[in-house]
Amino acid sequence: MASKATRFRCLHATSIHPIRPSVSSTRTFATAVSEPTEPIAPPTSTTRRSPTIFRDRLNTGPSLSDFTSPPPENDAPEIRTAFVGPAGKQKEITRLPSWLQTPIPNNENYKSIKRDLRGLNLHTVCEEARCPNISDCWGGSDKSAATATIMLMGDTCTRGCRFCSVKTSKAPPPLDPHEPEHTAEALRRWGLGYVVLTSVDRDDLADGGARHFAETIMKIKSKAPAMLVEALTGDYAGDLEMVAKVARSGLDVYAHNVETVEDLTPMVRDRRAKFRQSLSVLKHAKVAKEGLITKTSIMLGLGETEEQLWETLKELRKVDVDVVTFGQYMRPTKRHMPVHTYVTPAVFETWRQRALDMGFLYCASGPLVRSSYKAGEAFIENVIKKRASKNQTALADGEMNDKLERSTII
């Protein structure tokens, strides 16, 4: 027993083996005392090390607060620049303007909606396209005040537009046959008055996914007849029969985005997406269902000219588009096309007024406006309800006139 006990040592006892201080530990100890007793010899190592040079790239570039801080009151709309990179090789960059800064979403309502979406295996364009309004749209006081744009047919697109951050593939996974039912059930739970549905492009499918889209709308209307539905669709490779199928499925607003002016379309959108083809989609949707509201969206800041924007608006009016929106293009990643210009709020307001003067029913125009944004949806919702009310009044007046005519004949 005595021999075994000698294996243990008190933790407070002195070390059995003396510790040999290293050069670094000696240096640290020496600097800690006020007056070292003897000078410290420099290290004798002959290994040469390259000098450490600190380049202050992070501090000269945009900081986290540039992207997350709310804009200060009375902030003048000005574009600021900064120089980044090492001395002699610096390049000038444009800082994110204050009017484009949005808060990071982190409230309970945002988390609750996200859980619902993941639980039903649903995707939203809010997340996939990195929309800057997600905090505003998902962060309402309750779910009924929130807006989420559901993205159908998965999260993988067959096209590769240079402005879009949605992932792409030539052969995406097959469609989920339960998605229409799950989408309708999620929207029924939220009790929204207005919902926006969109989808990726599925050129790998014979119908481009039009039947899947139409089935989802019909299921929503069956579960929530009072809910207004906007469908933001692709061009179905120019197949107007598929456009008509979606337009007649029971939706209230048919949206398809031209995205940019005609001259820039080949550089901005996928080669299969053409400006004239988009115009034909918007025109045929109107023809397929009488009274259907049509809508499109245009990004600014891609290098378009004023004359090109005027021409674009004229072409949209020729096909009787009711609603147009203008928003600032924001580069999702460095792999995407760069921002040519940050357009000021004053310029956006100018184009809003010009669109209304040209006869558009409504125009949402601003740096953070996107093709589906709840401020515009609220206006369209009121328009649809007013139209329905007028139709009911006209129908009631017609029935009353018929009764009067019959009584007069008798």
Side-chain angles (χ1 to χ4, degrees):
M1 292 296 291
S3 60
K4 292 183 179 179
T6 57
R7 297 181 183 178
F8 298 92
R9 182 173 57 87
C10 176
L11 294 176
H12 298 286
T14 58
S15 175
I16 297 175
H17 302 287
I19 300 175
R20 297 179 179 177
S22 62
V23 173
S24 58
S25 62
T26 306
R27 183 184 297 115
T28 304
F29 177 76
T31 55
V33 296
S34 57
E35 294 183 0
T37 57
E38 56 184 38
I40 301 170
T44 58
S45 175
T46 57
T47 304
R48 297 188 62 184
R49 297 175 58 186
S50 58
T52 301
I53 301 174
F54 178 71
R55 294 185 175 91
D56 197 3
R57 296 182 180 179
L58 289 178
N59 291 333
T60 55
S63 65
L64 179 62
S65 62
D66 287 330
F67 295 90
T68 60
S69 301
E73 295 182 4
N74 302 321
D75 187 29
E78 60 175 343
I79 303 296
R80 296 177 300 163
T81 60
F83 290 92
V84 297
K89 296 182 180 180
Q90 288 188 330
K91 64 177 181 177
E92 186 177 16
I93 64 167
T94 302
R95 286 187 178 273
L96 190 71
S98 60
W99 58 82
L100 288 174
Q101 296 168 11
T102 56
I104 295 175
N106 193 33
N107 61 19
E108 287 303 318
N109 196 47
Y110 169 86
K111 296 175 183 177
S112 177
I113 290 177
K114 193 165 187 174
R115 283 194 298 268
D116 283 354
L117 292 168
R118 296 296 82 79
L120 293 170
N121 194 30
L122 299 177
H123 303 277
T124 66
V125 73
C126 318
E127 297 171 291
E128 302 298 334
R130 305 184 183 186
C131 180
N133 298 315
I134 192 168
S135 177
D136 188 19
C137 291
W138 288 23
S141 56
D142 53 43
K143 287 184 181 179
S144 63
T147 300
T149 302
I150 305 295
M151 191 165 72
L152 303 176
M153 298 187 281
D155 61 353
T156 306
C157 187
T158 54
R159 298 189 183 181
C161 297
R162 293 186 62 203
F163 66 89
C164 184
S165 65
V166 175
K167 59 185 178 182
T168 63
S169 173
K170 291 182 179 179
L175 299 182
D176 178 5
H178 304 294
E179 187 177 52
E181 177 67 26
H182 288 172
T183 301
E185 177 59 25
L187 296 175
R188 184 194 66 79
R189 291 181 191 177
W190 293 346
L192 302 178
Y194 191 106
V195 63
V196 181
L197 302 175
T198 189
S199 71
V200 293
D201 282 297
R202 291 299 299 263
D203 298 291
D204 59 315
L205 303 175
D207 65 345
R211 292 178 177 84
H212 188 88
F213 213 128
E215 181 186 355
T216 304
I217 295 169
M218 290 187 283
K219 284 192 176 292
I220 292 171
K221 287 291 186 178
S222 67
K223 286 179 176 286
M227 186 178 294
L228 301 178
V229 179
E230 174 183 326
L232 174 58
T233 77
D235 56 22
Y236 300 115
D239 189 340
L240 299 182
E241 184 179 343
M242 296 300 103
V243 173
K245 180 176 287 295
V246 176
R248 295 170 182 154
S249 62
L251 57 82
D252 301 283
V253 179
Y254 195 108
H256 173 69
N257 293 340
V258 296
E259 307 293 5
T260 186
V261 298
E262 185 170 12
D263 291 343
L264 294 181
T265 295
M267 285 76 76
V268 175
R269 303 172 71 187
D270 186 274
R271 58 180 176 78
R272 289 162 285 188
K274 300 175 177 61
F275 183 83
R276 294 291 161 179
Q277 185 166 276
S278 292
L279 289 180
S280 68
V281 168
L282 291 164
K283 179 179 180 180
H284 198 72
K286 198 90 169 180
V287 173
K289 183 182 178 182
E290 185 180 357
L292 184 65
I293 292 178
T294 52
K295 175 182 174 183
T296 195
S297 181
I298 301 171
M299 296 178 291
L300 302 186
L302 293 167
E304 65 285 337
T305 65
E306 190 168 337
E307 291 77 14
Q308 290 170 338
L309 281 174
W310 274 118
E311 189 61 32
T312 301
L313 292 178
K314 291 176 184 177
E315 293 295 329
L316 293 173
R317 289 304 301 140
K318 287 180 183 178
V319 296
D320 202 20
V321 172
D322 297 295
V323 179
V324 63
T325 70
F326 296 101
Q328 171 70 53
Y329 166 64
M330 295 173 69
R331 190 182 193 181
T333 70
K334 290 183 178 180
R335 298 190 307 272
H336 296 83
M337 62 186 304
V339 176
H340 186 275
T341 309
Y342 284 117
V343 181
T344 63
V347 174
F348 276 106
E349 174 58 25
T350 298
W351 282 108
R352 186 190 72 84
Q353 192 58 54
R354 288 173 176 175
L356 294 176
D357 292 342
M358 292 181 69
F360 286 95
L361 177 67
Y362 176 73
C363 175
S365 182
L368 291 173
V369 168
R370 294 298 179 261
S371 56
S372 53
Y373 187 55
K374 63 183 181 182
E377 291 160 11
F379 178 88
I380 297 171
E381 182 178 355
N382 290 332
V383 169
I384 294 173
K385 288 180 178 178
K386 285 181 180 179
R387 285 187 177 182
S389 178
K390 287 182 180 179
N391 291 337
Q392 291 177 357
T393 303
L395 182 61
D397 291 343
E399 291 176 351
M400 182 63 71
N401 291 334
D402 290 341
K403 289 180 181 179
L404 290 174
E405 289 177 3
R406 286 196 297 271
S407 63
T408 302
I409 293 173
I410 293 173

